[in-house]
Amino acid sequence: MLVGCAGLLMASLAIADVPPAIAAKLTATNETHGTFVQTKRLPTGEAYVSRGIYCIRPQVDFTWRTTEPFETLFWADQSIYVYSNEDERVEKPLADLPGFARFAAAGRGDCAEFFQAFDVLYKEDDDATFHVLAKPKDARLKKVLARVEADGVLTNWVLTATFPNRTVFEIRFCDE
């Protein structure tokens, strides 16, 4: 999903200048599934951990199932999303999700929305380990997100979101 060409990418370049190989690497083109471990670290030092499985079938659907500490399911196709846990089930149009247009475009392979919303540094080492650092450009997005980072290799990588209040949300992906 997130792998790329060697070098450094600054998203402040015009989107037409983003190397196609990098844009292609930021887009899932094949089905991928595996396990994840999510850790939410609060500024107080407390950490909350959950585990589960995911499956991404580009242009078909996305499944995010938390299995520990309790069961939840988020599933979305091209038109609706479903969230459920032991107490509730919600089914709504996908367009109702905040930021849907931006992320749906990226899911279709159009990274322009992402590069318009974030300043992005991209680097790949000789061993195919990639590093991405994305910081929001606009003031509204900066109020809810300080930065997003991703590091690893295609089949084993970590996504970290840091929020303005210093809460850190980390997801470790391991494709199977």
Side-chain angles (χ1 to χ4, degrees):
M1 231 167 14
L2 287 170
V3 176
C5 299
L8 188 62
L9 170 67
M10 294 294 295
S12 56
L13 299 172
I15 192 64
D17 295 334
V18 174
I22 291 175
K25 297 296 184 177
L26 291 171
T27 306
T29 55
N30 297 315
E31 179 176 326
T32 183
H33 59 281
T35 60
F36 67 83
V37 176
Q38 298 179 139
T39 304
K40 181 177 182 178
R41 289 184 179 81
L42 302 177
T44 61
E46 294 175 90
Y48 299 93
V49 177
S50 58
R51 292 172 167 64
I53 59 173
Y54 65 92
C55 181
I56 301 168
R57 297 186 312 163
Q59 305 299 318
V60 178
D61 63 5
F62 170 81
T63 302
W64 188 267
R65 181 183 304 274
T66 302
T67 56
E68 296 176 30
F70 49 87
E71 293 264 341
T72 65
L73 171 68
F74 178 87
W75 175 87
D77 67 8
Q78 299 295 309
S79 60
I80 64 167
Y81 75 92
V82 174
Y83 172 80
S84 64
N85 60 36
E86 65 180 37
D87 298 325
E88 68 178 322
R89 176 184 161 84
V90 175
E91 182 174 324
K92 293 186 176 183
L94 194 57
D96 286 358
L97 281 176
F100 165 74
R102 181 170 289 152
F103 297 107
R108 290 189 302 274
D110 177 4
C111 295
E113 290 280 345
F114 180 76
F115 288 107
Q116 289 170 1
F118 292 89
D119 285 319
V120 180
L121 295 173
Y122 178 90
K123 182 178 183 285
E124 185 173 316
D125 297 333
D126 291 339
D127 64 356
T129 301
F130 65 86
H131 311 277
V132 177
L133 171 61
K135 292 185 177 181
K137 290 182 182 181
D138 67 70
R140 198 170 120 212
L141 191 51
K142 287 178 182 179
K143 288 180 180 178
V144 294
L145 185 62
R147 70 179 177 270
V148 176
E149 298 172 78
D151 294 284
V153 295
L154 180 61
T155 58
N156 189 354
W157 58 284
V158 177
L159 178 69
T160 305
T162 304
F163 300 90
N165 70 354
R166 296 186 345 262
T167 295
V168 176
F169 187 67
E170 177 182 282
I171 305 172
R172 295 184 173 276
F173 293 92
C174 184
D175 292 358
E176 296 176 344

